[in-house]
Amino acid sequence: MASAEVIGREVGLLLLDGRGGIVGCNAWILSQPGLSGLPGRTLAEPRQALPDHPLIDALLRLLARDDGQAPPQPLSLPSRAGQPQRRCLLRLEPLDCVGAYRIALLSPLDGSGLREDVGREQWRSGSILAAITDALVITDRKGRVDYLNPPAERLTGASLESVRGRTLSQLLDACSVEGRVPLTELVEQTMNHGEVTQTRHELAVRGDDGGRFTVDAAVPPLLDTSGQVVGAMVIMRDITNERRLAARVDWQNSHDALTGLINRAAFDNKLEELVRSAREAGGEHALLYLDMDQFKVVNDTSGHLVGDELLRQVALLLAGQVRANDTLARLGGDEFGLLLAGCPVERAQEIAAQIRRAIRDYRFVWDGSVFVLSASIGLVMIDADAACFSAKDEGRDRVHAYRPRAGEAVRHQGDMQWASRISTALEQDRFRLYAQPIVSLAGDGGVGHYEVLLRMLDEHGELVSPASFIPIAERFNLMGRIDCWVVRELLGQIRKHFDHPLTAMESEAKAVSPR
């Protein structure tokens, strides 16, 4: 609420909520003919149901604009019998922080105004202010508590009688969530400026009873009829439950539900921060990528529930091995990631070896069965997956520190291209089966068995030897698809040529090496 040009003394006051409900007014409004029944009514009612009064018509016109920019509107109010009409100005002030409106009626300063208002004490009478549903604390110019409405008493755990005259800091130990600015400083800023310095504040509050909560607050100044600052109002809406719910949702979005560790998305964000930090400020960081070696055995032999329990126990085991500033995450399946900030390679290798030993020495027991565990750990700065593959290739249960070399990068890129070519060949049905007869060395000339050979056709129709594509298919988990194609194609040939199922493939096989 910004300070405005002094164009009149404020004599009448209405407080409206965001739905047009009249939640309170001062004694002057109640003293006017036809307005005594306003509190508790709502301007959303049909017009014919509301009092037939010029003030109601003027309010409806102002609210229809709903932009808070309308200048004060002249208004003539009916008077008691034998008295002239009273002229005044009507001003609407949006309270954006709480979605409400403050309606002021001003007595013009041109000598034709209204009677003096009935006084500050009547204006803030408990019967009026108690109608405000948000918690309201009013202070005097020195920051001493002068009034609490019932919602404020419930929120703070204090009664008006027990805190009247005490400083605001004695009632509320509060500061802004962002910037940690004390509430008393916000109130002081408001009174010094005579206007709202910031529309809304989110405050972390400890009440008089020791309870802690979070509020959405506005701190407008309290003005007298001449426009002078005589205190401040602290209007608070309790948003503790909303913030707790938001925090719970944030936690669920960034954590793995099974283990309670952060998930891959949160891990990736932290990794980006470390990469950016290393690039901009230098420093050494390390990434450990852990893959449990025996998880599939446990899963297949005992079921997914047992596998889940294994992962939970491994997560607890790992959490006990890391430093306070390290970042541990479950990346998916039986894979875990660990970021070691500010950690030299030598120290990172020591931590990795320590983790490997802890996993190796651990025994997972379930329903009388004891499982021995081990993990392959990649210590990397660029490509964690490649390091884990290297650790597994070297015999599992080991730590492999990965340093990419130019030749390895080229080989890895070539393997990726081969994997893509194999997938495309499967989709385009560019694999072929050939039957090679197995002939007895006894020389009887009979053919009792065949060896079935697999070949792939490249993009130009040329045959590709299995030695060129099968190792790549195994490394990139494509052999399952190839096996299915082989079984499906072979059974199809048997159905098609039932009497001599492999004869059709035999003639072509003569030109193909069996290996």
Side-chain angles (χ1 to χ4, degrees), residues 77-90:
L77 298 178
S79 62
R80 303 187 191 281
Q83 298 291 327
Q85 285 191 330
R86 297 169 176 168
R87 295 192 302 109
C88 65
L89 297 172
L90 181 67

Side-chain angles (χ1 to χ4, degrees), residues 44-316:
E45 297 178 38
R47 180 63 186 90
Q48 60 271 22
L50 294 169
D52 184 13
H53 196 282
L55 176 60
I56 301 299
D57 294 327
L59 287 175
L60 291 172
R61 287 195 300 270
L62 279 176
L63 292 174
R65 294 184 57 162
D66 195 27
D67 57 5
Q69 303 300 317
Q73 304 295 305
L75 180 64
S76 296
L77 298 178
S79 62
R80 303 187 191 281
Q83 298 291 327
Q85 285 191 330
R86 297 169 176 168
R87 295 192 302 109
C88 65
L89 297 172
L90 181 67
R91 183 170 66 197
L92 180 145
E93 301 168 356
L95 301 176
D96 296 332
C97 55
V98 289
Y101 298 94
R102 186 179 189 274
I103 311 296
L105 281 87
L106 308 175
S107 171
L109 298 180
D110 59 2
S112 60
L114 309 173
R115 296 174 302 173
E116 288 296 322
D117 60 279
V118 296
R120 181 170 171 234
E121 289 298 323
Q122 287 179 307
W123 172 79
R124 64 166 199 229
S125 65
S127 60
I128 296 173
L129 295 180
I132 301 175
T133 57
D134 289 324
L136 172 65
V137 179
I138 296 179
T139 74
D140 62 16
R141 190 66 179 83
K142 294 182 179 180
R144 295 173 299 203
V145 176
D146 203 24
Y147 176 79
L148 297 182
N149 72 345
E153 290 181 325
R154 291 192 294 271
L155 185 66
T156 62
S159 65
L160 175 59
E161 291 74 17
S162 66
V163 298
R164 190 193 295 273
R166 293 167 59 183
T167 62
L168 185 61
S169 61
Q170 291 175 309
L171 171 65
L172 294 172
D173 179 9
C175 58
S176 60
V177 173
E178 294 186 7
R180 309 300 295 176
V181 180
L183 174 60
T184 51
E185 185 175 327
L186 299 175
V187 170
E188 185 177 346
Q189 291 174 3
T190 292
M191 290 192 288
N192 290 340
H193 289 82
E195 59 184 21
V196 180
T197 56
Q198 183 176 328
T199 305
R200 337 166 32 126
H201 305 274
E202 187 171 319
L203 304 178
V205 182
R206 181 172 61 84
D208 190 63
D209 63 350
R212 296 184 179 273
F213 47 91
T214 306
V215 298
D216 191 13
V219 189
L222 181 66
L223 308 177
D224 63 11
T225 56
S226 64
Q228 298 299 309
V229 176
V230 294
M233 295 180 286
V234 181
I235 306 170
M236 299 175 289
R237 181 171 63 89
D238 189 356
I239 58 172
T240 305
N241 289 335
E242 297 175 25
R243 286 294 171 263
R244 286 174 179 167
L245 178 60
R248 187 179 303 117
V249 171
D250 288 343
W251 190 93
Q252 292 172 344
N253 288 338
S254 61
H255 286 73
D256 172 53
L258 179 64
T259 63
L261 301 177
I262 67 170
N263 59 22
R264 182 158 205 147
F267 186 82
D268 288 345
N269 291 337
K270 182 64 177 177
L271 178 59
E272 289 178 5
E273 291 178 12
L274 286 183
V275 170
R276 185 165 55 250
S277 171
R279 183 172 59 247
E280 296 175 357
E284 292 181 284
H285 313 299
L287 182 151
L288 299 185
Y289 184 93
L290 295 83
D291 191 349
M292 298 302 299
D293 296 330
Q294 281 77 30
F295 178 72
K296 189 174 186 301
V297 174
V298 176
N299 236 15
D300 292 347
T301 58
S302 301
H304 293 291
L305 291 178
V306 181
D308 288 348
E309 179 59 26
L310 169 61
L311 292 175
R312 278 190 287 265
Q313 293 189 24
V314 169
L316 292 174

Side-chain angles (χ1 to χ4, degrees), residues 20-61:
I22 301 172
V23 297
C25 62
N26 69 352
W28 188 91
I29 293 290
L30 295 177
S31 70
Q32 301 307 302
L35 298 182
S36 59
L38 274 187
R41 303 293 295 274
T42 172
L43 298 179
E45 297 178 38
R47 180 63 186 90
Q48 60 271 22
L50 294 169
D52 184 13
H53 196 282
L55 176 60
I56 301 299
D57 294 327
L59 287 175
L60 291 172
R61 287 195 300 270

